[in-house]
Amino acid sequence: MFQIVAPDGTVARPELLPAPEIRLELYRQMRRARHFDERGWVLYRQGRLGVFPPFGGMEASQVGTAAALTKDDWLFPTYRDTGAALTLGLPIARALAYWRTSPHGWHMPDDLKVLPFYIPIATQYPHAVGAALAEKRKGTRNIAMAFIGDGGSSEGDFHEALNFAGALDAPCVFILQNNGWAISVPTRAQTRATNLSRRAEGYGIPGVRVDGNDALATYHVTAEAVERARSGGGPTLIETVTYRVKPHTVADDPSRYRTDADSAGWDAKDPVLRLRTHLLQAGLLTEESEAALLAGIAAEFEAALTEADSYPDPTPEEILDHVFAEPTPQLRKQREQIILEASQ
């Protein structure tokens, strides 16, 4: 399994270290993602956020991959990939609105090619191939990146997408986040495969297995895959080996299906603390600079929360406003009925 920085912060592959500014930016984005995740728990308990899937402990897997993209590229996230979307540029207020089920979060900004968080499992993979092929047909160097979990790699859409992309050389990067669990089912129970990246071999495309808690390693292999796709080299499957230390959602109780032994050792592999230790050892981060960084992140979040709080409450008929670009006759009739019933 590919790794650049060990859990204790020591560097295993110094020749592959990215530039200092990249390492610092990865750390900043990981801290932003973790802050969102931690504040999300609080807001949920206060009744100010809906049920959402936490991703704490998976920051390196999401930030290290999405950071290799530009805003001209496509991102197809699962429901657990808020961190990846924030890294590419999704405004925090828009993300909060989404997890509040507010219409203000139902569509992405016009200058960002991020799809709404996918709730169905694996459907985003074929969609990403379609977007990638559209970019190829238009003659751009833009690529598409899609996320999936280890459980999703057993879905038919996963295999169809890899075959589709491989056969047509789609400029696509597939991220397979192996976090150990498909809701309450451990990876060992849903497949006998022990190296999910090797599933790429069946479709004639490269497969890479990387330490998903090592942000620098994740960024390195993803940047290589992105450049390969841009240059006409076709798709890549990247398995980021990480762990879902948090529950499936904030409403889940993981103690019902996993034991302390299942999670043992993963706290010591914390991706944020790993990169922090490396940056301190390298002299790129100090206690003072980190304090300033964290203060700025907290202020950014609170400003975004204030903005999200200012959004007007949705009206009942808005549930139909974003189904199609142009409403069908049936939708118009349903909308009229909702308005009529709400007025009575």
Side-chain angles (χ1 to χ4, degrees), residues 208-223:
V208 182
R209 197 167 196 251
V210 62
D211 184 344
N213 282 23
D214 179 355
L216 304 188
T218 304
Y219 174 78
H220 178 84
V221 299
T222 307

Side-chain angles (χ1 to χ4, degrees), residues 19-86:
E21 59 270 21
I22 293 177
R23 283 178 269 172
L24 287 169
E25 177 61 14
L26 289 172
Y27 185 66
R28 186 182 77 87
Q29 293 290 359
M30 288 170 68
R31 279 294 190 184
R32 289 179 75 241
R34 177 156 295 187
H35 189 83
F36 183 99
D37 193 71
E38 291 175 345
R39 289 289 283 125
W41 279 86
V42 175
L43 294 172
Y44 169 73
R45 289 185 171 90
Q46 292 175 340
R48 301 170 66 192
L49 199 68
V51 173
F52 84 101
F55 52 88
M58 296 174 60
E59 293 88 353
S61 178
Q62 295 189 24
V63 172
T65 49
L69 300 176
T70 73
K71 284 194 172 184
D72 291 325
D73 298 316
W74 292 88
L75 180 66
F76 291 77
T78 72
Y79 51 79
R80 199 177 304 282
D81 300 318
T82 304
L86 293 175

Side-chain angles (χ1 to χ4, degrees), residues 161-238:
L162 262 62
N163 188 64
F164 188 26
L168 298 179
D169 262 345
C172 203
V173 177
F174 299 106
I175 307 300
L176 196 175
Q177 295 188 100
N178 184 350
N179 66 16
W181 294 89
I183 308 182
S184 59
V185 180
T187 307
R188 63 180 179 273
Q190 62 99 0
T191 179
R192 289 187 64 181
T194 57
N195 183 336
L196 301 183
S197 69
R198 295 192 63 184
R199 290 182 168 176
E201 296 175 9
Y203 305 104
I205 68 175
V208 182
R209 197 167 196 251
V210 62
D211 184 344
N213 282 23
D214 179 355
L216 304 188
T218 304
Y219 174 78
H220 178 84
V221 299
T222 307
E224 285 191 334
V226 166
E227 182 53 35
R228 183 185 305 116
R230 292 198 200 286
S231 303
T236 302
L237 174 67
I238 299 174

Side-chain angles (χ1 to χ4, degrees), residues 101-171:
T101 67
S102 166
H104 299 280
W106 290 351
H107 59 92
M108 298 295 116
D110 292 338
D111 65 341
L112 202 61
K113 296 178 179 177
V114 177
L115 274 289
F117 301 104
Y118 280 72
I119 305 302
I121 305 300
T123 56
Q124 64 273 23
Y125 259 40
H127 297 169
V129 179
L133 289 173
E135 294 289 353
K136 181 178 180 179
R137 178 165 292 189
K138 290 190 295 185
T140 76
R141 283 175 50 85
N142 305 333
I143 69 125
M145 178 181 289
F147 287 77
I148 207 170
D150 48 292
S153 70
S154 294
E155 294 280 347
D157 281 349
F158 169 86
H159 298 277
E160 292 156 6
L162 262 62
N163 188 64
F164 188 26
L168 298 179
D169 262 345

Side-chain angles (χ1 to χ4, degrees), residues 275-298:
L275 185 53
R276 177 182 187 272
T277 300
H278 163 69
L279 293 174
L280 288 170
Q281 292 175 351
L284 298 176
L285 186 73
T286 64
E287 298 287 349
E288 294 76 17
S289 65
E290 182 182 45
L293 171 68
L294 297 180
I297 288 172

